[in-house]
Amino acid sequence: MAAKPKLHYPNGRGRMESVRWVLAAAGVEFDEEFLETKEQLQKLQDGNHLLFQQVPMVEIDGMKLVQTRSILHYIADKHHLFGKDLKERTLIDMYVEGTLDLLELIIMHPFLKPDDQQKEVVNMAQKAIIRYFPVFEKVLRDHGQRFLVGNELSLADVILLQTILALEEKIPNILSAFPHLQEFTVKISNIPTIKKFLEPGSKKKPPPDDIYVRTVYNIFMP
């Protein structure tokens, strides 16, 4: 029996949360080794476990994968969440890249100064409503397929749902003008593997708190 993937990252969302989401969507159980100190990170770096001296890092199939997008692509391709042909894979990749640009704003939000955090919420809302959500609303309205790309769940659906739910934590009515995205959110949330991940007690991480922010600063700041 193959070993479970092992995730190396602090105990919080950050850039690893998307990896947790796609593993959960694929129904793959995984272990985590949480970084809590600068010494733990240094040990990984000194042991040549981090190709570019950075985490996230995932041990999977005898490899130590780094770079979030590469990790996501590998897991999605392995578990049939990356389309059936080159055209579908390219569309999935394009949608994921756009969504991750928006998600990055959410990831960085807890590390802003308190006075800047509310301003950034307004900025995130504007970008979501003006730039990103209209794209996905139109795709879902016009293409006549069951998912963002084709008729099977893909990485694009998973990352978009993750981003929508994270935004709704800060801006509960952010989908009010997007009925197709509202329907999409309900549908994808009820896929059994994802529904399980959204239930209490799963490995889905809560919104970042002060403890997480301090831990990240202690590990990564000089």
Side-chain angles (χ1 to χ4, degrees), residues 11-215:
N11 187 9
R13 289 183 181 177
R15 293 186 178 89
M16 186 65 90
E17 189 71 354
S18 294
V19 177
R20 298 183 186 105
W21 268 86
V22 71
L23 285 167
V28 177
E29 294 185 3
F30 57 89
D31 293 325
E32 300 192 74
E33 187 165 313
F34 297 123
L35 297 181
E36 298 176 343
T37 66
K38 193 181 297 288
E39 288 72 26
Q40 286 176 288
L41 176 63
Q42 189 68 51
K43 185 176 180 181
L44 288 175
Q45 293 170 334
D46 292 346
N48 294 319
H49 298 298
L50 305 178
L51 187 63
F52 299 110
Q53 303 298 299
Q54 296 172 315
V55 292
M57 188 268 279
V58 175
E59 295 184 69
I60 184 171
D61 297 339
M63 299 181 291
K64 292 180 173 68
L65 298 183
V66 296
Q67 300 299 314
T68 308
R69 288 163 170 79
S70 297
I71 296 167
L72 293 173
H73 287 176
Y74 181 82
I75 295 167
D77 207 4
K78 178 177 179 177
H79 295 286
H80 312 292
L81 296 170
F82 210 39
K84 68 179 187 299
D85 55 30
L86 179 59
K87 181 178 179 180
E88 286 196 355
R89 288 193 294 274
T90 302
L91 286 172
I92 290 166
D93 205 21
M94 185 167 62
Y95 295 156
V96 168
E97 286 292 312
T99 309
L100 288 174
D101 287 346
L102 179 57
L103 185 60
E104 183 71 12
L105 301 179
I106 305 170
I107 290 170
M108 297 309 297
H109 181 264
F111 301 96
L112 298 175
K113 295 178 180 178
D115 290 346
D116 294 331
Q117 288 193 2
Q118 189 55 44
K119 295 177 186 176
E120 185 61 12
V121 169
V122 174
N123 178 49
M124 286 190 289
Q126 289 177 337
K127 286 191 174 181
I129 291 168
I130 294 170
R131 181 184 300 178
Y132 293 99
F133 287 175
V135 171
F136 296 115
E137 182 76 4
K138 185 177 188 301
V139 169
L140 293 167
R141 183 183 67 233
D142 294 347
H143 72 355
Q145 298 171 329
R146 294 177 55 224
F147 296 92
L148 275 176
V149 179
N151 293 307
E152 294 184 357
L153 181 72
S154 79
L155 179 64
D157 302 298
V158 175
I159 301 302
L160 180 56
L161 178 63
Q162 178 199 355
T163 304
I164 288 171
L165 295 183
L167 277 169
E168 285 185 330
E169 290 172 350
K170 301 180 183 303
I171 313 153
N173 63 346
I174 194 157
L175 289 184
S176 59
F178 303 100
H180 289 87
L181 278 172
Q182 292 176 37
E183 181 182 341
F184 168 88
T185 300
V186 172
K187 179 173 72 174
I188 305 302
S189 294
N190 280 290
I191 290 172
T193 53
I194 294 176
K195 185 175 182 180
K196 182 179 178 182
F197 187 60
L198 293 173
E199 292 173 350
S202 80
K203 291 184 176 180
K204 180 179 180 293
K205 301 305 176 191
D209 58 14
D210 290 343
I211 295 173
Y212 171 71
V213 171
R214 286 198 302 271
T215 300

